[in-house]
Amino acid sequence: MHIKTDDTVVVLSGRDKGKQGKVIGAEPKEGKILVEGVLVAKRHKKPRKQGEPGGIITKETPIYASKVMRVCPKCNKPTRPAHRFNKDGKKVRICKKCDAEI
């Protein structure tokens, strides 16, 4: 999957199109990710124990990874990450727009 946890992404389609957020978690087998502040659902929680608060809780729901694009931290533009080997022989992600290491 081209998106990893702690990446900043922008949503390409859906009701939250254009929103930016940080990736909270990734589910590679399902091809979905959790993005902070995107596709938020509200849940009504009933207090179960004495002293526990109830109310309406907002929770992020998973979104398909194909609907988001990584934002380069250097040029601040949405880009597809390319892969390249650095001097140590380690595979790294590269921004296709500014050629910076992500």
Side-chain angles (χ1 to χ4, degrees):
M1 199 158 60
H2 65 285
I3 304 292
K4 295 182 180 180
T5 306
D6 294 331
D7 286 348
T8 304
V9 294
V10 63
V11 180
L12 301 175
S13 64
R15 72 177 192 205
D16 292 325
K17 182 179 179 179
K19 281 189 180 178
Q20 278 192 358
K22 187 178 173 185
V23 177
I24 300 168
E27 300 166 12
K29 287 186 178 180
E30 297 174 17
K32 293 185 176 187
I33 58 171
L34 282 172
V35 182
E36 193 175 275
V38 175
L39 203 65
V40 178
K42 293 190 178 196
R43 303 276 181 246
H44 295 265
K45 186 180 177 190
K46 189 174 181 178
R48 297 289 175 192
K49 298 176 185 172
Q50 191 172 2
E52 185 179 296
I56 301 170
I57 296 169
T58 57
K59 183 180 180 183
E60 287 89 4
T61 56
I63 186 171
Y64 282 105
S66 61
K67 290 189 172 197
V68 297
M69 190 176 273
R70 174 100 163 72
V71 176
C72 176
K74 187 174 180 187
C75 64
N76 204 24
K77 294 181 184 177
T79 181
R80 285 185 180 171
H83 293 87
R84 194 177 294 159
F85 290 98
N86 64 3
K87 295 174 185 174
D88 302 333
K90 190 175 181 182
K91 193 175 184 181
V92 292
R93 295 188 294 170
I94 303 290
C95 172
K96 283 199 173 186
K97 307 235 174 167
C98 67
D99 213 43
E101 191 174 308
I102 298 175

